Amino acid sequence: MGYFQPGDVALRREVLHGKPWAVTPTRVVADGPDLLVVFTAPDTEFGFYPHPRTHHWQELGRTRWTGIGKLQLHRPGDAYSVDLYWQGGQRRFAGFYLNLQAPFRRTALGFDTLDHALDFWAPVDGDWRELDRDEFEEMVADGKYDAAEAEGIRRTAEEVGAMLTAGTTWWDPAWGSWEPDPGWPVPVLPAGWEDHPLP
């Protein structure tokens, strides 16, 4: 399966217990053997598949991405993405959000993953902190992740925390100055997205 070209639309799909769960159309910024970078534009519409478990965004009534938008850096094999956020009309860079998730798997239309709830926030003007530990443990108790998956997520959290503490982050901070192409329209879900099979 080949790499995407800058400007392509790639579907970021969450897959839970072997079934597609939710999908977000993203804009490809860069793609290659070592890094996949995608952008979620403001007002991007989410898609939700029929699933035994209701997606948390559905429960909150979230149907679109709000805010300025986010950039996501993915390395093959990493059980997290590095998300960049900006604030305000001047688009001030706010910091890095490390989103624990299943290592991405490529599909014909994009890539599959699963959000792991546990996250880290590393602002440009303060110390890093872990987020959503209680929410993650509640999801473990509720059966979203089995015991082995939960233990793997906790190990990833320890590794990410150690990396942030040591200052041995791998990504280029210059991504904080990145700006989306003003000619890019908001990506939309293609016809037939509900029927796209698992890889």
Side-chain angles (χ1 to χ4, degrees):
M1 195 172 297
Y3 299 117
F4 292 100
Q5 297 300 310
D8 285 349
V9 173
L11 301 187
R12 179 193 183 277
R13 188 171 61 171
E14 290 197 73
V15 177
L16 176 64
H17 298 159
K19 297 180 181 297
W21 197 25
V23 61
T24 305
T26 67
R27 186 73 62 183
V28 175
V29 175
D31 191 17
D34 301 319
L35 190 67
L36 168 64
V37 183
V38 298
F39 178 62
T40 302
D43 206 37
T44 297
E45 184 176 10
F46 309 131
F48 301 105
Y49 296 86
H51 197 282
R53 182 185 291 267
T54 303
H55 195 278
H56 50 279
W57 285 349
Q58 288 176 291
E59 293 175 347
L60 296 172
R62 289 188 62 186
T63 60
R64 295 178 181 272
W65 182 262
T66 58
I68 293 178
K70 67 174 178 178
L71 193 70
Q72 292 183 291
L73 315 180
H74 306 83
R75 288 195 308 181
D78 278 354
Y80 63 92
S81 65
V82 178
D83 302 355
L84 286 76
Y85 284 88
W86 292 264
Q87 295 176 336
Q90 299 300 313
R91 204 169 177 272
R92 182 184 69 85
F93 179 57
F96 301 96
Y97 186 97
L98 283 78
N99 186 66
L100 271 62
Q101 61 182 34
F104 78 88
R105 297 173 296 159
R106 293 182 180 275
T107 70
L109 297 182
F111 60 100
D112 286 353
T113 185
L114 176 65
D115 188 89
H116 286 165
L118 196 55
D119 304 304
F120 292 80
W121 173 238
V124 294
D125 53 1
D127 294 331
W128 67 268
R129 62 186 183 273
E130 185 186 78
L131 305 174
D132 304 325
R133 172 69 70 165
D134 290 346
E135 179 183 344
F136 164 71
E137 296 297 348
E138 288 174 4
M139 290 182 177
V140 173
D142 192 40
K144 182 179 177 182
Y145 316 108
D146 63 28
E149 290 170 330
E151 186 56 32
I153 295 166
R154 294 186 189 103
R155 283 197 304 271
T156 298
E158 291 176 2
E159 294 167 359
V160 168
M163 174 182 65
L164 292 171
T165 296
T168 54
T169 53
W170 55 263
W171 56 87
D172 187 346
W175 282 110
S177 300
W178 178 85
E179 295 186 6
D181 186 328
W184 283 347
V186 175
V188 297
L189 292 167
W193 63 269
E194 306 98 323
D195 302 321
H196 183 55
L198 289 170

